[in-house]
Amino acid sequence: MNHNKRKLSRSLVAGALLFSIGPAAMLVMPMIVGAYIDQLGFSSQQAGILASFEAAGICTASLLGLIWVKRLSWRLVTLAGLGCAVIANLLSIGVEAFALMLACRILASLGAGTVFAAATASLGEQDKPEAAFGIALAVQTVLLMAIMAMLAGIMESQGIGGIFFLLALLALMVALPVGWLPVRSERSGHMNKTTPGHDSSGGAQILVGLIAIVLFYAGALGFWVFLERIGDAAGHSN
């Protein structure tokens, strides 16, 4: 019993960190969009396209988790996603061409979305999934506040490359607790045996839930990504 509790606690720590760091680029996207325009000379439309493709990549990779979640090792998939994010963020440093930046950010978002899917699945394995997601959101909020506080100084000294380096470093750091994630779900087999027919009705509810989440974030992100631009237009500094 104690061993199982320790296992779940470690899984919660790993899941909460990965849940927070996976979509970190979208959480600080207002700063990135501002840097796209001010430092790289991209137009507002180009900056919006980059942000949109990054959000779409995370969403797509997260949805693809429905395919591999019962087939592949969550740890290996997470490590692959983190590796992809680290490489793509490092490649983004120094890029000034729009097309090349777009390719790098799509690659980074696919890695981030994969990590986010694995983290979400891991949190769902907890005895109290609702509490686990609440903890993960609290961790995400604290980390976001810390990252945003650091970004202004990083941008002044290192520019947008400093942001991408920080994102790569964070992805590398959260690779350390990946070994605490479950390899696969330990609940699905039991659920399938005890509740036949659950998958058909439950699958529809999951799909509706995912669509609702996507629509919610699509509306929120449309305003969020240009928040720094709105503040800049109002005369506020970073």
Side-chain angles (χ1 to χ4, degrees):
M1 181 66 70
N2 289 335
H3 173 71
N4 188 50
K5 285 184 177 180
R6 245 189 340 262
K7 187 177 176 182
L8 286 174
S9 297
R10 290 178 177 178
S11 174
L12 176 59
V13 171
L17 289 173
L18 291 164
F19 184 87
S20 305
I21 299 303
M26 290 308 304
L27 297 178
V28 298
M29 188 55 69
M31 304 292 282
I32 296 177
V33 165
Y36 282 150
I37 297 172
D38 291 339
Q39 296 182 22
L40 299 184
F42 294 156
S43 66
S44 296
Q45 182 180 15
Q46 288 175 317
I49 290 173
L50 287 167
S52 297
F53 270 85
E54 187 140 8
I58 292 175
C59 178
T60 300
S62 298
L63 292 176
L64 288 176
L66 295 172
I67 298 174
W68 56 256
V69 71
K70 292 184 178 181
R71 296 177 174 85
L72 302 177
S73 165
W74 295 0
R75 296 176 185 176
L76 292 179
V77 171
T78 301
L79 287 174
L82 289 172
C84 185
V86 169
I87 293 171
N89 279 305
L90 291 177
L91 289 175
S92 299
I93 299 174
V95 172
E96 296 182 356
F98 172 75
L100 187 54
M101 180 64 78
L102 181 61
C104 289
R105 299 323 301 161
I106 290 175
L107 181 62
S109 66
L110 292 175
T114 300
V115 172
F116 186 73
T120 302
S122 173
L123 293 172
E125 288 290 294
Q126 296 292 315
D127 287 336
K128 296 180 179 179
E130 299 87 352
F133 279 106
I135 292 171
L137 286 172
V139 172
Q140 187 180 80
T141 301
V142 171
L143 287 176
L144 173 61
M145 291 171 62
I147 293 171
M148 292 292 278
M150 292 187 296
L151 280 186
I154 291 175
M155 287 182 63
E156 288 182 6
S157 61
Q158 302 178 36
I160 191 172
I163 300 178
F164 294 139
F165 181 79
L166 177 62
L167 292 175
L169 181 62
L170 289 172
L172 193 60
M173 290 174 61
V174 294
L176 296 175
V178 167
W180 290 349
L181 290 177
V183 177
R184 288 184 179 83
S185 175
E186 297 178 359
R187 296 175 180 269
S188 57
H190 177 71
M191 290 176 62
N192 289 339
K193 290 178 183 177
T194 56
T195 55
H198 172 79
D199 286 345
S200 57
S201 59
Q205 293 176 355
I206 290 172
L207 182 60
V208 171
L210 287 172
I211 292 173
I213 291 172
V214 169
L215 291 176
F216 170 79
Y217 279 107
L221 287 174
F223 168 78
W224 170 250
V225 297
F226 285 103
L227 189 61
E228 188 272 348
R229 292 288 87 190
I230 295 172
D232 183 72
H236 301 302
S237 68
N238 286 335

